[in-house]
Structures are given as structure tokens and as C-alpha cells.
Amino acid sequence: MKRIGILTSGGDASGMNAAIRSIARSAISAGLEAYGINYGFAGLVAGNIRRLESKDMDGIIDRGGTILYSARFPEFAEEKTQLKGIEQLKKFGIDALVVIGGDGSYHGAERLTQHGFNSIGVPGTIDNDIPGTDFTVGFDTAVNVALDALDRINDTATSHQRTFVVEVMGRGAGDIALWAGIAADADAIVIPEREYDVKKIAEHLKHNYENGKDHGLIVLAEGVMSAADFKAELDQYGDFDSRAITLGHIQRGGRPTAKDRVLASMFGDYAVRLLLEGKGGLAIGIRDNKLVATDIIDTLENHKHITDVSLLDLNDRLRF
Ligand code: ATP
């Protein structure tokens, strides 16, 4: 093996650059060449590919976003488009591909593997919703960005004795809501993985106010409903002087935390070491604090990300 390709795809996540740097530098230090593919699978099919030198990796570990850009390219679900991508990889003499992205991007890597092109997935998404790993690159930064916002909201909520409904990202997974919500002392965390009872939440808020608490905070995962809709439901059960906020894309940006930088560095280097051992068709992850590599097809077809809903019970015990 001589050349490794790298691409980032789907929603960007802080720490993707640290993963690119790790893959490129690890490959170069092992005597291989690294190639960056711009704009995800769209750039792959278009042949938007360039050689990456070690010096190109200077000063990127602390930058959010991705220097290789990202793209949504639904056409890559078609076989003929996937085969075009493989043609481009062969044209550039690339022997293996590392895809940094979320669940959808993993399916792209899986399809290339099924066509016989060696591909490895590195989990990069703020949602933490990929099977085969306890944590994804970008999740920790997103949680900390959300937490910073929640701390600020708690300040103003307290000053005016208001209740805020704050919608955080997470279409199918409540991980960001759970982690940021517990850390911000939320009165309720509402996630897609568990039924909620708005009447009970309202009663809990009322009880808190009656017992001297000076504000309310509900952290809501976007996959449940919008903050505005949840506020409307809540308002039917009392006058909480409530406000609805959607944090939105600020959760995607910003300097990656140390945890995301280190995780990305470990994942990227591990992917290269596995390729050097002649392995491939794998999904990289961390489980119980150990690096793991699982078959990418089996991981996607037979496993699901499992949100740790025991965190919801933890929050319920701690809010009284
Ligand atoms: P995030 O969840 O953080 O947004 P993601 O990787 O899941 O990241 P998607 O938009 O779902 O984001 O997928 C990214 C890209 O992966 C798609 O635009 C497409 O190019 C490719 N992709 C998605 N699903 C498939 C599939 N079934 N087969 C081949 N390629 C796919």
C-alpha cells in the first residue's frame, strides 16, 4: 500500500481537522502518501483530490470545521456513482480510503468496501449516534458549546424567574441533550429515546417555584419537536413566563476540546496502523476506553447506537 485518501462528509464536527492531521501525519511518518479529497463524496466523484504534505497539517488541530470541506451528496447512494468514485481513487493511485463522518458517511464507506475498495470509517459527528463506538469526534465540543449557552441562559432565567425551553441538536439521538442538560442542572431533559409527560414536567416546575427555585430549564433534543412547540405545550399547564430558544448551528462550530482533539488523533492513527497491517472494511471506535475496530458492514447492518438513557434517571434523581 502506498497512498491513503481522506475525506470528510455529512455534518461537520469540531475535531475533524485533528482526525485529518492524524491520518495524514501517521501515513507520512510510515512512508506512505496522503491525499485529501475535498467536498466529501461529491469531490471524490468529481476527482477533487490533492496531495497532503505534513506541513499542510500545521495549525489545524485547533480549528473547527474541516479543511477538506464537507458536502451532502445523496447521489452517492447510487451504485453507478459509487463506481465512478472508485474509478477516481484508482486514477490517483489511492489504495485505501478513510472516511470521517456520521452514519450516512459510513454507509458510503460501507458501499465502497462492498465493491472491493478498502475503506475505513472514523466517527465524526456531533450527534454521537454511530454504532460501534461510545463516543464520536465532535460530540464533546458540541456538548460544551451547548453547556456554555445553557449556563448563560440560566443567568438570565434566574434574574427574571423565567423558564427556558432550549432546543439542542440531535435528530435521532438525545446524547447532547442528556450530557449538556445534566451539566447545566436542567429541570427536565426531553429526548427522542423516551416518552415524556408535559403535565408532569409542568407540575415539577410549579413545585420548584413554590419551594423557592428562581428559574426553570428544560433541555429538549431537536428530534422530539421544536422549542416553540414544546413551549406551547408547557404553557397549557401554567404561567411559567416561558421562553423558547433553538441553539442551532453554533453547536457545530468552535475550537475542539482537548478530548475531541485527542480522540481524533487516536482514531486517525489507529486507522492508518490497521491499513498498514493489511486490514480494512472497518469502523473505528472507542469502547470502555479502549480503541476498537469492528466490521463496517456488520456494524451498520446489525447494530444501533444506544443512548445511555440511565443518564435521564440520574438527572431525575438529582433534580429534587
Ligand atoms: P451527520 O449525521 O453528522 O450529519 P452523516 O454522515 O450521517 O453526518 P448524511 O448527510 O446522512 O450525514 O450522509 C453524508 C453523505 O454520505 C451523503 O450526502 C452521501 O453522500 C453519503 N451517504 C449517505 N447515505 C448513503 C448510502 N446509503 N449509500 C452511500 N452513500 C451514502
Side-chain angles (χ1 to χ4, degrees):
M1 191 182 46
K2 205 170 154 230
R3 293 182 177 165
I4 292 181
I6 310 164
L7 66 78
T8 52
S9 162
D12 59 310
S14 282
M16 280 183 160
N17 284 328
I20 295 166
R21 169 183 177 271
S22 171
I23 298 158
R25 287 240 168 109
S26 202
I28 294 165
S29 72
L32 305 175
E33 292 173 4
Y35 279 76
I37 297 152
N38 289 326
Y39 308 111
F41 293 112
L44 172 63
V45 172
N48 192 335
I49 299 174
R50 61 187 158 115
R51 174 122 180 231
L52 298 174
E53 305 289 353
S54 183
K55 67 176 164 29
D56 300 325
M57 301 297 111
D58 285 342
I60 67 164
I61 197 167
D62 60 340
R63 282 170 55 191
T66 158
I67 60 158
L68 294 178
Y69 306 99
S70 191
R72 308 269 183 199
F73 184 55
E75 295 87 334
F76 205 68
E78 293 161 24
E79 183 165 325
K80 66 175 193 313
T81 315
Q82 294 155 8
L83 296 176
K84 264 192 211 159
I86 292 178
E87 258 174 48
Q88 292 289 7
L89 288 162
K90 288 192 174 149
K91 198 167 115 193
F92 282 83
I94 294 171
D95 310 292
L97 178 69
V98 184
V99 172
I100 307 162
D103 187 55
S105 306
Y106 265 41
H107 277 97
E110 178 199 24
R111 298 297 293 133
L112 294 176
T113 301
Q114 284 167 333
H115 293 307
F117 194 90
N118 201 2
S119 303
I120 285 194
V122 164
T125 170
I126 67 164
D127 292 337
N128 208 42
D129 62 350
I130 303 185
T133 188
D134 293 340
F135 293 106
T136 60
V137 171
F139 172 65
D140 188 61
T141 305
V143 167
N144 279 285
V145 171
L147 177 60
D148 181 60
L150 294 174
D151 285 346
R152 290 163 194 259
I153 287 165
N154 273 337
D155 288 345
T156 178
T158 302
S159 305
H160 292 271
Q161 297 94 56
R162 286 181 175 142
T163 289
F164 276 75
V165 179
V166 185
E167 178 191 324
V168 299
M169 279 188 168
R171 279 190 308 259
D175 296 51
I176 295 177
L178 282 170
W179 281 71
I182 288 175
D185 189 18
D187 295 292
I189 301 171
V190 185
I191 57 172
E193 292 87 346
R194 198 180 268 182
E195 291 284 306
Y196 68 93
D197 182 339
V198 72
K199 192 168 167 230
K200 269 198 186 150
I201 293 173
E203 278 164 8
H204 174 68
L205 288 171
K206 268 188 214 157
H207 174 267
N208 280 352
Y209 277 117
E210 281 159 16
N211 286 279
K213 192 167 179 192
D214 45 20
H215 73 281
L217 177 68
I218 296 165
V219 180
L220 169 76
E222 67 170 322
V224 180
M225 67 173 74
S226 73
D229 287 347
F230 194 90
K231 172 185 148 40
E233 279 195 17
L234 184 72
D235 288 348
Q236 290 173 13
Y237 294 95
D239 179 10
F240 299 103
D241 193 10
S242 62
R243 299 287 188 278
I245 291 186
T246 301
L247 295 188
H249 284 79
I250 62 162
Q251 293 160 98
R252 287 251 189 94
R255 288 160 60 85
T257 59
K259 186 172 174 190
D260 273 333
R261 296 183 204 192
V262 174
L263 196 62
S265 301
M266 293 191 325
F267 283 168
D269 174 69
Y270 189 41
V272 173
R273 283 191 288 124
L274 289 165
L275 289 172
L276 283 167
E277 287 170 18
K279 296 179 183 152
L282 297 167
I284 304 290
I286 190 159
R287 283 222 196 110
D288 300 327
N289 230 11
K290 283 200 179 64
L291 285 174
V292 291
T294 49
D295 182 276
I296 195 165
I297 298 169
D298 176 58
T299 304
L300 284 175
E301 303 303 322
N302 303 318
H303 299 271
K304 276 202 158 93
H305 165 69
I306 298 172
T307 298
D308 182 2
V309 287
S310 74
L311 292 172
L312 206 53
D313 303 323
L314 169 69
N315 197 58
D316 286 347
R317 288 195 297 277
L318 300 186
R319 66 187 187 163
F320 282 100

